[in-house]
Amino acid sequence: MKSINTSLYSNVLKIVMDFPNFESVKLGEREATQIANCNLRRIGILYDLVNCNLHTGEWSKVPLEECKMFRVLSALRIFYMLLCSEDNVDQLDDVIYVADFGNMLGSPVYIDYNGENIDLLKSIAMLLKNAKKNKEETATPVKRAKISDDCTEEVCEVPILHRPSLEYFGSEHYAKAEPALLRDVIDDWPALHLWSDPNYLIEKAGETTVPVEIGSTYSSDDWSQQLVKFKDFVVNSSGLCLTAEASSQRNVPVYLAQYELFDQIPELRADIFVPDYIGRTDVNPRIKAWLGPKGTVSPLHTDPSHNLLCQVFGSKTVILASPGDTPNLYPHDHFMLSNTSQVDAKNVNYERFPLTRKVHFRRLGLRRGDVLYIPPGWWHYVESRTPSFSVSFWFD
């Protein structure tokens, strides 16, 4: 991907970042307002150009400097939006959205603040959300739906290990790339007791804008994505509230899937701990959130990293197949879906996909507190049997 001319960056940034010094030249209020609005337009033009660059071509090929620039521009845009607004309170929703969108697409930009290295845009987002909390009246608590953690799967076709030693897990499963169901590993997570309460999630993360998937599976024609406030997703689509439970039964599933929620919401990150089985090989695992109602599905696919799939509440059905079965699982031809099978692992069409008869599928159920180890390259299909919250740790 071709980067935007860096001279354009430097020229615009030099102009707009000089604004805090304008008081020293004693500009009139009207002239200062005109210059501020002009700078906001300059930022907006460059912001749109960089945003367009981030959405062109393959995401993995986007230059790091483009991602960092997007966060810098997001921070400057927020500053000028508030500066040019007649009522900063009314502007809070808009600037919080800009902060969240910048955090989603951009790469961290750190600054030294009182001797501490802080992520600029994440810190701005937290300040804005706290300001909105202070301005709002206490919301009426939502009504919780009853969520069963019972797992209806009668079989578990992978080894079940009760808090195995690091040595045993490393030699018998990590090194051999063999899946296993781990128990008694995350029993100390506060999340197991807190996150099934939608009011807790709304209090901690309600104002955050998040991407959700709409449709049966990401490989289907009816699939799409949308940006929504986390509290709106929890109340209307997650299955955690009585309103959400009714909504999820009427419409297509809405799924917060494979999202780095905890980078945006450190308060929720504090409710989970990295399992010890990861620390010896990877000190910075990629942590993903999966939250949605009954019926959400991740189709049969593979991932390039080791994965500990931790079930916080609710239950899921998982179907596994080994990397050796890849030739019999009909991966999609398109490069963006090459890690996804055309086969519906739950209801296999053997006439359309005859080679699938050779595949040895392994079935199991996940319930609250279970941790499933999925080695790299293993095919896995995951379906929520109830409203469910899972956390994935991808590691090397």
Side-chain angles (χ1 to χ4, degrees):
M1 175 177 292
K2 187 176 181 180
S3 177
I4 295 175
N5 192 311
T6 53
S7 64
L8 178 62
Y9 289 155
S10 58
N11 289 338
V12 173
L13 292 180
K14 184 177 186 305
I15 292 171
V16 301
M17 292 182 73
D18 278 344
F19 187 84
N21 297 322
F22 283 4
E23 287 187 5
S24 64
V25 296
K26 302 187 184 325
L27 288 173
E29 181 178 344
R30 181 178 178 182
E31 186 177 1
T33 300
Q34 289 175 340
I35 294 174
N37 281 290
C38 181
N39 283 350
L40 179 58
R41 289 193 293 272
R42 289 188 177 107
I43 294 169
I45 292 170
L46 189 55
Y47 177 96
D48 289 341
L49 285 171
V50 178
N51 188 21
C52 182
N53 247 24
L54 297 184
H55 286 88
T56 303
E58 296 180 45
W59 177 252
S60 61
K61 296 181 180 178
V62 175
L64 179 61
E65 64 268 21
E66 296 282 350
C67 298
K68 288 188 173 183
M69 180 55 62
F70 193 66
R71 282 211 184 178
V72 171
L73 290 169
S74 298
L76 286 170
R77 189 177 181 190
I78 290 168
F79 172 77
Y80 273 98
M81 286 173 71
L82 293 173
L83 190 65
C84 297
S85 173
E86 295 182 0
D87 188 338
N88 287 346
V89 174
D90 288 343
Q91 191 81 325
L92 275 177
D93 280 338
D94 293 335
V95 292
I96 287 172
Y97 177 86
V98 171
D100 284 337
F101 194 63
N103 281 321
M104 278 184 238
L105 292 184
S107 291
V109 175
Y110 295 95
I111 62 169
D112 187 332
Y113 180 74
N114 290 337
E116 183 179 356
N117 207 26
I118 65 169
D119 185 324
L120 174 64
L121 195 57
K122 283 184 183 176
S123 299
I124 291 173
M126 289 180 61
L127 288 171
L128 293 171
K129 290 168 188 175
N130 287 335
K132 181 162 188 188
K133 278 184 184 179
N134 293 335
K135 296 292 182 182
E136 289 185 334
E137 297 180 2
T138 303
T140 303
V142 297
K143 294 183 179 180
R144 299 173 59 172
K146 288 187 177 181
I147 299 174
S148 172
D149 291 317
D150 292 336
C151 188
T152 57
E153 295 293 325
E154 297 180 357
V155 297
C156 180
E157 297 177 325
V158 300
I160 300 176
L161 309 177
H162 291 271
R163 197 182 285 273
S165 68
L166 300 182
E167 290 72 22
Y168 184 87
F169 173 80
S171 63
E172 299 303 314
H173 292 275
Y174 180 91
K176 295 180 180 179
E178 281 292 329
L181 183 65
L182 313 181
R183 287 185 171 153
D184 308 320
V185 169
I186 60 171
D187 293 350
D188 59 344
W189 280 16
L192 267 63
H193 312 288
L194 296 173
W195 288 3
S196 56
D197 181 356
N199 294 292
Y200 178 82
L201 296 177
I202 291 170
E203 177 192 353
K204 298 298 182 183
E207 291 301 322
T208 300
T209 297
V210 297
V212 295
E213 300 181 359
I214 302 173
S216 51
T217 71
Y218 65 75
S219 58
S220 301
D221 292 336
D222 66 349
W223 183 87
S224 63
Q225 286 184 302
Q226 185 176 343
L227 294 177
V228 300
K229 280 195 175 183
F230 187 66
K231 65 180 178 183
D232 294 334
F233 166 69
V234 169
V235 171
N236 299 319
S237 306
S238 68
L240 297 183
C241 309
L242 294 180
T243 53
E245 187 177 51
S247 175
S248 65
Q249 291 172 357
R250 291 194 303 267
N251 305 315
V252 295
V254 180
Y255 198 12
L256 189 148
Q258 193 178 311
Y259 183 55
E260 295 177 351
L261 180 68
F262 311 108
D263 283 350
Q264 281 185 263
I265 311 297
E267 295 96 333
L268 292 182
R269 175 63 180 84
D271 292 336
I272 61 175
F273 312 120
V274 177
D276 293 338
Y277 306 99
I278 295 174
R280 290 191 172 188
T281 60
D282 192 341
V283 295
N284 292 305
R286 282 75 68 203
I287 309 175
K288 310 286 185 177
W290 309 77
L291 172 61
K294 175 182 178 180
T296 52
V297 171
S298 293
L300 196 64
H301 68 284
T302 66
D303 296 313
S305 300
H306 298 265
N307 181 7
L308 287 184
L309 177 60
C310 306
Q311 191 65 17
V312 177
F313 66 76
S315 63
K316 288 184 170 180
T317 292
V318 182
I319 302 175
L320 301 171
S322 75
D325 284 317
T326 298
N328 304 319
L329 287 173
Y330 302 86
H332 284 272
D333 293 330
H334 194 280
F335 76 95
M336 291 188 69
L337 291 174
S338 60
N339 71 325
T340 302
S341 171
Q342 299 178 61
V343 176
D344 180 351
K346 187 179 180 182
N347 300 291
V348 180
N349 185 335
Y350 291 106
E351 291 186 3
R352 184 182 176 192
F353 304 112
L355 294 178
T356 312
R357 297 182 187 277
K358 301 179 182 181
V359 178
H360 174 211
F361 288 111
R362 307 189 194 186
R363 291 172 170 79
L364 66 136
L366 284 182
R367 64 189 185 201
R368 184 191 297 258
D370 283 348
V371 177
L372 177 62
Y373 169 59
I374 306 173
W378 272 76
W379 294 87
H380 48 290
Y381 164 98
V382 185
E383 178 180 355
S384 296
R385 304 295 296 265
T386 67
S388 167
F389 203 144
S390 308
V391 177
S392 284
F393 292 87
W394 291 350
F395 62 106
D396 299 320

